[in-house]
Amino acid sequence: MSTQTKTIAIVSQKGGVGKTTLAIHLAAAAEQQGEVALIIDADPQASACEWSSWRGGEAPEVIDTAPSRIEAKVNLAREQGATFISIDTPPHSDSTAAAAVEVADLVLIPCRPSAFDLAAMRTSLKLVELLNAEAWVVLTAGPPNAPRIDEDASDLIRELGGQVCPVKLPERAVHRHASAGGRTVGEFEAGGKAAKEVSQLYMWTCEQLNMFTSASVQVSA
């Protein structure tokens, strides 16, 4: 278990790229590894809060907040013992994204490997650069067996000055089935490909945050 609180901001100016998926799965994975996890839902659509209600309030806890209260909510959660916080932000809101980035130890920018999504991602990269934040782009919802598409997207991201997370979360139907029941992919289909990808992403995230974990997963670039 971590000895200090780690906070992750998940930002993107594009909708439908998997921000909520990252927020809930990373927090749930942290909880499973013994952390006291919290999801701060700063998106007016409140998808993470809705997922929590479908889940019957089972950990990880999800709370909503206005953008102006993000820092206060993080500080309060830290005081109350939270050790892992993920912040889900809305699209098309620089102010909310900036508020989340400013309190984060790590920023993740989910991005689908498509022309429109990659174009929108530039705004997020500019924002984190302006705020001098540590950020990585996570490729999401792409074809599971199309490495050339991922490679081309990764090359473009690097050309724009971004860092590419070596773990990807490709499009898998289990994500939709699991979230509809208030579950994670690991709870819905333990041992499945999606569950393994989430586990790898969580372990990689822990490495970036210098967290101690009870397991070690090797990922390739």
Side-chain angles (χ1 to χ4, degrees):
M1 181 173 173
S2 301
T3 57
Q4 57 181 334
T5 307
K6 299 295 185 181
T7 302
I8 299 174
I10 302 171
V11 304
S12 173
Q13 301 309 299
K14 182 82 164 52
V17 295
K19 289 189 293 295
T20 302
T21 295
L22 287 183
I24 63 179
H25 279 86
L26 288 175
E31 189 80 30
Q32 190 175 41
Q33 292 293 327
E35 304 296 336
V36 180
L38 173 70
I39 301 166
I40 295 179
D41 190 347
D43 187 344
Q45 290 186 347
S47 296
C49 286
E50 189 167 27
W51 174 81
S52 181
S53 69
W54 293 339
R55 191 175 176 77
E58 183 181 342
E61 182 180 359
V62 182
I63 62 172
D64 62 359
T65 188
S68 61
R69 296 286 296 161
I70 288 177
E71 183 177 7
K73 291 290 181 72
V74 168
N75 290 336
L76 180 60
R78 183 183 297 115
E79 292 170 4
Q80 294 181 343
T83 61
F84 189 98
I85 301 171
S86 64
I87 307 174
D88 188 17
T89 63
H92 316 303
S93 176
D94 288 348
S95 60
T96 306
V101 169
E102 287 176 341
V103 300
D105 299 296
L106 178 69
V107 180
L108 298 181
I109 305 171
C111 180
R112 296 165 63 101
S114 72
F116 291 117
D117 292 83
L118 288 164
M121 178 207 58
R122 299 176 189 223
T123 303
S124 300
L125 286 177
K126 289 178 181 177
L127 175 66
V128 296
E129 182 181 3
L130 180 65
L131 296 173
N132 196 30
E134 175 72 9
W136 293 77
V137 178
V138 182
L139 289 175
T140 59
N145 301 305
R148 181 59 183 273
I149 291 176
D150 288 340
E151 290 170 9
D152 289 346
S154 296
D155 288 343
L156 177 58
I157 292 165
R158 294 188 185 100
E159 288 175 10
L160 295 171
Q163 301 182 99
V164 183
C165 172
V167 184
K168 304 170 183 63
L169 295 187
E171 174 70 28
R172 298 196 188 279
V174 67
H175 279 287
R176 295 190 294 275
H177 298 319
S179 61
R183 317 310 295 167
T184 65
V185 291
E187 293 165 342
F188 189 87
E189 188 178 81
K193 290 181 179 179
K196 290 178 181 177
E197 289 156 357
V198 167
S199 178
Q200 288 181 323
L201 179 60
Y202 174 68
M203 294 302 172
W204 174 87
T205 300
C206 289
E207 291 176 4
Q208 308 313 305
L209 294 170
N210 296 315
M211 292 171 61
F212 294 103
T213 65
S214 61
S216 178
V217 176
Q218 295 294 322
V219 296
S220 58

